[in-house]
Every structure is written in C-alpha cells, then in structure tokens.
Amino acid sequence: MDSYLFSRRRAARFAQLLDEANGGRRHHVRSRADDQLVALVAVGRRLTQERPDVEVEPDFRVGLRAMLVATAEREGPGATAASTPDGAGAGTRSSLLGAVTARQVRARGAVLVGIAAGAIAVSGISAASEDAVPGDALYGMKRSTERAQLALASSDLSRGQLFLDFARTRLTEATTLRGDLPGFTAVLEDMDADTRQGVRLLTTAAAQRSDTAGLDAVNTFVAGQRRAVGGLLDGADRAERDRVRRSLALLDAARKRSDALRAAIACGLPTPVSGDALGPTPATCPEQR
C-alpha cells in the first residue's frame, strides 16, 4: 500500500465508497484503487460493527479529539478559496468552491472515521497488552501505546507524570522476571530511564514556574517506588541485589534533587541555568551555606 493511497483523489473516492456502504447514493464511477479501497471500507465497517468491549481512556479520547480539531482548523475547507483563479467569475468560483468543499468534507469525514475506528481497535489491543512482559507477543504494542500517550500529553507536567507511571509499570514487569538476570536487568534499566525522564520534566517545570506541584509528584512517586523496589531485594541473588541497589540510589538522588529545588524556590533563588539527567541543579540558599 503506497503513499498515493492517501492522496486527495483516493480519499474522496474512499468517502464515496463509505457513503455507499452506509446506504448513501451510489456514485456511477470507478477508480483503479477501488479494490484496495473496498477492502479498507470492509475493515472500517467491521471495526464499527464489532467494537471491542473496552472503554477508551478519557485522557486518550480528549487528546485525540484536540488533535483532530486542531487539524481541521488548520486545514479547513476555507483554504480552497485562495486557490480559485482570479479571472473566474463569482458564480464559477462559488460552484467550484462548493464542489471542492463537499469532496473535502467527505474525504476528511472518511479520515476521521478511519482514525476513530483505529482508536477503538487500538484501545482493545492496548487493554489486552497491559499484562505483557518482555518476550510476549503484545509487549511491543504495550510500549507503542505508551509512546502514543506521551505524544498526546498536553504539557511537560503531564509527560513527566506519564514517565513515572511507566517506571511503575516497569517495576511490575521486573517482579515477573526474577531469576532471568538479562531480562530483569533490561527492565530495570528501562525503569530507571523512565524515572530520569519523568523527574527531569517535573523538576524543570517546577523550577521554571516556581511551582512545587511537580516536586510533590516526584516525592510521592519516590516514596512508593522506593518501598516497592526495595522489596525486590528479598530472595534476590547477589547480581540482582547489586542491580536493585542502583535503582534505589537513583530514587534517593531524585528525592534529594526535589528537596533542593523546593528549598531554592522557597528562598526565591533564580531559575538554575545548569542541570543534569534529573533536571536543574539549584544553588544553595544563602542561610544554608
């Protein structure tokens, strides 16, 4: 399936076929792409008729709607007026605009239907992959869903909290991989990477806004995560214990950074200009020197 499938002409034909499939007026035309498009229409109808019994997450729905609305506003049908030749009469421009607008509405409606059907399908697969661990067939979909959530997040605060949620998820996966040192180590590496990303985004937002909300999220995460990570030490062999202690040290460093930034905000220090993997590195308040 090449990129030409999504050209305007094929999108318009796709909209016509969807109209016909849903009982609309039959169009007496045929395109060379009909065989491919008919197959897509069949898939769309099947997804609509056989929706998985899964709720789409509210945050995903809101983010998807915002993205679609922004796209519609940016590429709305009004843009076609500028492409009408200057020499055309008013009636010609009106009829051309009407025809182009109608095609665009149908084409974009088809795209929206496809995206909505895809979101429903993805939500079902996402729910099915929630318990997947590295090596499972659905683990790639689980991680792809996480990347989609990050792409739809509306702010650094939201993205930071998502990364910390993913770190909690990696910890749950690690508990199922005890005894498999390579898999156990790889998941903890991913967990620590998610922790650093989340802490960096939240501490940076806190420093830039002089607002401790992000730091509160970091402290809440560290308190719960440290207890859970510490539980991995029970019954672990030497190699596993050494790896777990590295994750515990990272959590301690995150809490220390959060406390230092909180103190800097409280005493009115300017936004730090330097930083590292955990975000801004604040100076010490004068009375604490």
Side-chain angles (χ1 to χ4, degrees), residues 166-208:
F166 300 157
R168 294 184 181 98
T169 300
R170 302 289 86 81
L171 175 58
T172 300
E173 294 167 1
T175 62
T176 69
L177 295 171
R178 302 286 293 272
D180 173 11
L181 184 59
F184 182 77
T185 299
V187 169
L188 290 187
E189 291 289 345
D190 286 347
M191 179 186 76
D192 289 351
D194 288 336
T195 297
R196 292 188 192 93
Q197 289 270 38
V199 170
R200 181 180 60 81
L201 286 168
L202 292 170
T203 56
T204 299
Q208 291 175 343

Side-chain angles (χ1 to χ4, degrees), residues 18 21-23 40-50:
L18 281 176
N22 290 309
L40 289 176
V41 170
V43 171
R45 285 180 57 79
R46 184 174 179 182
L47 287 173
T48 303
Q49 295 167 356
E50 301 178 14

Side-chain angles (χ1 to χ4, degrees), residues 53-85:
D53 189 20
V54 175
E55 273 295 316
V56 179
E57 293 180 0
D59 289 343
F60 181 84
R61 185 187 297 112
V62 171
L64 179 61
R65 181 182 183 280
M67 181 179 67
L68 295 177
V69 169
T71 300
E73 290 177 347
R74 185 176 65 251
E75 301 179 6
T80 60
S83 64
T84 303

Side-chain angles (χ1 to χ4, degrees), residues 125-126 128-145 147:
I125 298 174
S126 173
S129 67
E130 284 180 356
D131 297 327
V133 296
D136 290 350
L138 289 177
Y139 191 69
M141 174 57 70
K142 180 179 183 178
R143 299 302 294 266
S144 295
T145 301
R147 289 191 291 272

Side-chain angles (χ1 to χ4, degrees), residues 77-84 89-108:
T80 60
S83 64
T84 303
T92 302
R93 285 198 300 270
S94 177
S95 61
L96 285 174
L97 179 58
V100 172
T101 299
R103 287 198 299 272
Q104 288 183 329
V105 168
R106 289 196 298 271
R108 285 173 182 147

